[in-house]
Amino acid sequence: MWAEALRFLSLADANVRHVLLGSMLLAGTTGVVGCFTFLRKRSLVGDAISHAALPGVCLAYLLFGSKEPHVLLLGAIAAGWMGAISIDLIRNYSPLKEDSAIAIVLTVFFGAGICLLTLIQGAGNASQAGLDKFLFGQAASLMARDVWALGMLSLILCGVVTLAFKEFKVLAFDPDFARALGLRASTFEILLTTLLVAAIAIGLQMVGVVLMAALLITPAAAARQWTDRLPRMLILAGGFGSAAGAVGAFASSLAPRMPTGPWIVVTVTLFFVVSLLFAPRRGVLAQALRTLRGRTVVASENLITTLYRLGEHARDFSRPWPLESILRYRRLAAPKALGILSQLEREGYVRGEGDRWILTQTGFQMAERIIRRHRLWELYLTEQVKLPVEKVHQDAEEIEHWLTQAQEDELEVILSSPTTDPHTHPIPPASRGREGEV
Amino acid sequence: MAGNSGKTIRFPREAKPERGAGAPAPIEVADLTVTYHRKPVLRDINLLIKEGGLTAVIGPNGAGKSTLLKAIMGIIPLASGEVRVFGEPIDRSRGLVGYVPQRGSVDWDFPTNALDVVLMGRYGKLGLFQRPRARDRETALACLEKVGMAPYAGRQISQLSGGQQQRVFLARALAQEAEVYLMDEPLAGVDAATERAVIEILKDLQARGKTVVCVHHDLQTVTSYFDQVVLLNLRLVASGPTESAFTPSNLRATYGGGLTLLSDVLETLERSGS
């Protein structure tokens, strides 16, 4: 096995180079084309078309008695198209919904394919041995000739996507608008389906019909995590597909008859999981961090306003307060409150004096700003929305952290510069100095 | 009138609309029936939209308001009847019609930004496979500016508020530089500031001689925003100038009196003596 690995990695063997190049091209292409399937929410249609290709491959073999890739490819394309049309027909002319149509087409075509495959194998034809690779894919069977032919097809597909990019984009985003523009939407829909069927057909040798959908959808889903621009998404999806194709080709070189498809699917799924978790903005981790940061902001601002309210209540802002007094206002675990207070001290909003805490000048201005927004909002809710006074505090307690300067200014105008809130507490005047931010 | 201004030859395959008395109406619908799964959703609609009007299409949920716009745009097949835009079939006059679909009809998580969406409004003026040119970008930016969204040009569209998304859709229609605008609920679920901005743009379009047709859901504002009204409930109940067609009896015929909001509007109308 080490010998095989070395042989592959050295790339000395021309056959190895062909297999590697072919796999990367094909998986990259399906990744690019799959983006539109993914964005149009047609993932399951892609899966059904993949499965529907199997009987086409078998029939082409039976009819022409040939294992030539282009013959089998044409069979796959024809049957894939029939599958796609069948789904549309069932959806449009029967009471069944699309999900049922997809399930029916997938199982019926795949079932027929398995029957034909068994028939061919039962006939004991010497050259039948190659057909079962269409179930799970085998890159190692790619010949130089195939690679050139399939590579050309990949180039054509990517060329079409580049050429018709604007048409495909508007069709994927807003098909009604595409029709309203008169962009020959149905022509481009047919073109897009043709690309999908062709991409599936060329990917079949690599991944097989069973796992093909993963190669269409997973690179697109992974790529979507990293970017908000469609061109970048297409390139990234192509890259993810290619990389997974390379890994699949490598794995399939390690042992004879090793299937490529499962390796590619596992690799590309790994890319997806990493993207799902660690992508900068859309990633699970980034989102969790954002939520956490939001909570910290709320907790910090709440402690600052508590110190302010304590001082306001005692009519003495120069007095430091022990933790117990603060916790009487805020239900918070003491260690956690202490942690936040020390953080606020490092940021210059509060100062510790022994075991007591007091707002700094910056902290005081910050507290005034939040309290001001809180009380303006309370006043707005009672005066304009006509809510009863006792119901407005909780709402203001939440929104005080998120009101913007512009909203504060608008409230000020709407309420014509008020000085007291509905509980007759004074509303601090707008701060003149620089605003502190936590 | 963009069609008659300096940069004219925009739609070489399309006839420029005639103007003045005797010229064909911007929109003419004759005996239109639309069916969905053999069930009629619009029946025998005969409708004439006047040039330069600001028209509200109103009616209860499921009355076929959106369907009417889609049928005019040729987005959905007609079971029977005919639609003419400036006297021509829609396929020969698409360049003259701008369209704003319902905001909820698309997935706003699509990987694109506000400017790119507005640029789609230019696609009808570009050839097959042709990329947007620099001046298409300028037009798109100017349209974003018009709806007050220029600062958000590069913003991913899912990061926009509902009102901002609606403005982007409006800007996209403006980028079509059309003569007639069909808008599906441009005021649905928007904030007060967006509502003001949208109305201002509609009035501006009207002032420039354009024809605007809006599906509208808020009966309270029909009389103040629109000068023409179309009352629809599978069939056409009435259409015409707001003061003569927006009457209690027509509203009752459209809504069947089952709406509580309706009684408020009726009361106001009856008090004002119409």
Side-chain angles (χ1 to χ4, degrees):
Chain A
M1 190 164 129
W2 293 113
E4 278 96 3
L6 264 179
R7 195 176 75 96
F8 186 92
L9 293 174
S10 70
L11 297 180
D13 189 333
N15 187 44
V16 166
R17 287 202 299 272
H18 289 139
V19 168
L20 181 66
L21 193 69
S23 310
M24 290 178 68
L25 267 174
L26 301 191
T29 309
T30 54
V32 171
V33 173
C35 281
F36 290 103
T37 314
F38 172 78
L39 289 172
R40 297 175 75 210
K41 305 186 175 25
R42 296 285 170 87
S43 302
L44 285 172
V45 175
D47 195 26
I49 292 178
S50 313
H51 282 76
L54 186 61
V57 171
C58 297
L59 277 177
Y61 172 75
L62 283 176
L63 283 177
F64 301 104
S66 153
K67 259 185 20 175
E68 289 292 319
H70 60 271
V71 172
L72 300 184
L73 207 70
L74 284 178
I77 288 177
W81 248 115
M82 277 183 59
I85 292 170
S86 308
I87 292 172
D88 278 349
L89 286 179
I90 295 174
R91 191 190 49 209
N92 292 342
Y93 295 101
S94 85
L96 295 181
K97 300 279 184 289
E98 182 164 43
D99 60 329
S100 313
I102 291 170
I104 289 170
V105 167
L106 187 150
T107 45
V108 168
F109 276 73
F110 187 59
I114 293 290
C115 289
L116 288 170
L117 202 60
T118 317
L119 200 73
I120 294 167
Q121 281 170 333
N125 193 320
S127 64
Q128 52 81 13
L131 284 190
D132 54 351
K133 75 170 184 251
F134 280 95
L135 278 181
F136 292 111
Q138 203 179 15
S141 62
L142 287 179
M143 303 287 161
R145 211 158 48 98
D146 309 341
V147 171
W148 279 113
L150 298 175
M152 285 299 288
L153 205 49
S154 303
L155 280 181
I156 292 173
L157 292 192
C158 290
V160 172
V161 168
T162 316
L163 207 61
F165 177 74
K166 113 175 168 285
E167 283 80 6
F168 286 164
K169 179 175 166 179
V170 64
L171 196 62
F173 174 62
D174 192 346
D176 275 355
F177 191 71
R179 279 186 199 99
L181 286 174
L183 273 182
R184 291 174 224 285
S186 47
T187 313
F188 281 98
E189 246 162 37
I190 291 170
L191 186 59
L192 212 46
T193 307
T194 309
L195 288 195
L196 176 64
V197 171
I200 287 171
I202 63 173
L204 284 186
Q205 291 214 13
M206 293 271 312
V207 219
V209 298
V210 179
L211 299 173
M212 185 59 216
L215 206 48
L216 288 168
I217 303 311
T218 322
R224 179 68 189 89
Q225 288 293 105
W226 298 94
T227 174
D228 281 333
R229 303 303 311 266
L230 184 54
R232 275 178 223 159
M233 180 179 160
L234 293 177
I235 292 167
L236 265 178
F240 284 140
S242 295
V247 172
F250 173 65
S252 120
S253 75
L254 294 183
R257 299 188 60 86
M258 172 81 92
T260 332
W263 281 101
I264 296 184
V265 172
V266 168
T267 312
V268 82
T269 305
L270 199 70
F271 293 160
F272 170 69
V273 171
V274 170
S275 310
L276 183 71
L277 293 179
F278 302 114
R281 206 175 48 75
R282 300 170 67 93
V284 172
L285 205 68
Q287 285 186 350
L289 272 178
R290 254 204 310 280
T291 313
L292 200 69
R293 219 175 291 140
R295 271 192 213 140
T296 316
V297 167
V298 170
S300 311
E301 293 189 351
N302 280 345
L303 286 184
I304 288 176
T305 54
T306 303
L307 281 169
Y308 181 92
R309 285 175 198 276
L310 283 166
E312 186 180 48
H313 194 66
R315 292 168 198 279
D316 180 7
F317 285 114
S318 60
R319 193 198 301 176
W321 296 92
L323 193 59
E324 300 85 72
S325 311
I326 297 173
L327 294 184
R328 217 169 293 136
Y329 270 83
R330 292 284 163 196
R331 226 173 294 154
L332 202 62
K336 187 155 186 213
L338 273 178
I340 297 170
L341 282 169
S342 342
Q343 176 65 29
L344 284 172
E345 184 169 26
R346 277 195 293 280
E347 289 166 357
Y349 292 105
V350 302
R351 202 169 55 239
E353 294 184 353
D355 57 353
R356 287 163 182 259
W357 301 88
I358 185 169
L359 288 171
T360 63
Q361 188 56 36
T362 326
F364 186 77
Q365 279 171 4
M366 167 88 139
E368 274 195 322
R369 181 165 59 90
I370 303 164
I371 294 278
R372 174 177 157 75
R373 288 176 183 178
H374 178 106
R375 292 180 179 168
L376 279 174
W377 187 253
E378 285 188 336
L379 196 62
Y380 174 76
L381 287 184
T382 48
E383 283 202 349
Q384 305 283 321
V385 190
K386 310 282 181 212
L387 283 182
V389 177
E390 63 275 12
K391 287 200 172 163
V392 296
H393 175 76
Q394 203 46 49
D395 202 60
E397 193 60 27
E398 280 170 29
I399 204 153
E400 62 182 21
H401 308 290
W402 312 116
L403 283 177
T404 63
Q405 187 62 49
Q407 288 165 332
E408 181 191 319
D409 294 345
E410 195 163 343
L411 283 174
E412 169 99 23
V413 172
I414 293 173
L415 301 166
S416 38
S417 310
T419 51
T420 52
D421 76 356
H423 312 282
T424 67
H425 292 129
I427 296 176
S431 55
R432 296 147 304 257
R434 190 184 61 85
E435 282 193 354
E437 296 277 347
V438 167
Chain B
M1 292 183 210
N4 297 339
S5 68
K7 309 179 264 179
T8 36
I9 326 259
R10 280 264 165 72
F11 338 112
R13 285 177 296 131
E14 284 142 4
K16 228 190 297 175
E18 285 175 48
R19 300 284 185 169
I27 293 171
E28 209 177 334
V29 175
D31 303 322
L32 171 74
T33 295
V34 178
T35 57
Y36 182 73
H37 281 289
R38 295 204 199 109
K39 215 181 98 203
V41 284
L42 278 180
R43 198 169 223 172
D44 300 327
I45 308 284
N46 285 287
L47 185 63
L48 198 79
I49 299 290
K50 267 185 46 184
E51 181 155 2
L54 198 48
T55 307
V57 179
I58 59 172
N61 285 336
K65 305 183 292 287
S66 299
T67 309
L68 177 64
L69 295 201
K70 286 183 184 174
I72 295 173
M73 288 309 304
I75 294 172
I76 51 172
L78 316 183
S80 66
E82 197 181 23
V83 171
R84 294 207 164 246
V85 176
F86 289 110
E88 298 274 354
I90 180 70
D91 277 324
R92 295 188 52 189
S93 45
R94 284 192 186 281
L96 302 173
V97 193
Y99 179 55
V100 178
Q102 267 183 37
R103 181 162 58 86
S105 66
V106 304
D107 177 7
W108 289 91
D109 196 31
F110 196 84
T112 191
N113 61 29
L115 181 64
D116 269 353
V117 172
V118 178
L119 262 177
M120 289 178 189
R122 306 296 303 165
Y123 287 6
K125 313 247 184 272
L126 298 171
L128 198 64
F129 305 142
Q130 190 189 356
R131 289 295 157 89
R133 303 148 295 190
R135 75 178 148 100
D136 293 314
R137 276 174 195 287
E138 282 160 27
T139 310
L141 256 175
C143 293
L144 269 177
E145 179 84 57
K146 244 180 250 174
V147 300
M149 287 289 294
Y152 302 93
R155 185 79 68 93
Q156 147 73 16
I157 52 174
S158 66
Q159 307 285 312
L160 301 172
S161 74
Q164 291 172 329
Q165 291 173 346
Q166 190 64 61
R167 290 184 203 206
V168 168
F169 259 15
L170 188 61
R172 182 175 70 172
L174 294 180
Q176 293 183 265
E177 294 183 332
E179 292 298 314
V180 190
Y181 292 87
L182 303 182
M183 308 188 179
D184 204 341
E185 303 231 23
L187 294 173
V190 303
D191 52 286
T194 300
E195 179 152 339
R196 279 195 300 274
V198 171
I199 290 302
E200 204 169 294
I201 284 161
L202 299 189
K203 302 264 187 207
D204 177 57
L205 285 171
Q206 187 182 28
R208 291 193 285 128
K210 315 289 181 190
T211 308
V212 180
V213 180
C214 285
V215 172
H216 192 58
H217 63 286
D218 183 9
L219 295 179
Q220 312 272 11
T221 51
V222 170
T223 41
S224 50
Y225 292 164
F226 298 96
D227 55 32
Q228 305 278 321
V229 67
V230 171
L231 294 103
L232 198 68
N233 193 352
L234 300 185
R235 296 164 186 276
L236 184 72
V237 178
S239 73
T242 311
E243 61 263 28
S244 58
F246 194 68
T247 61
S249 62
N250 280 342
L251 281 169
R252 273 197 204 92
T254 312
Y255 288 88
L259 205 64
T260 44
L261 185 67
L262 187 64
S263 48
D264 291 352
V265 178
L266 291 177
E267 222 170 82
T268 325
L269 277 174
E270 270 155 7
R271 254 208 315 274
S272 70
S274 50

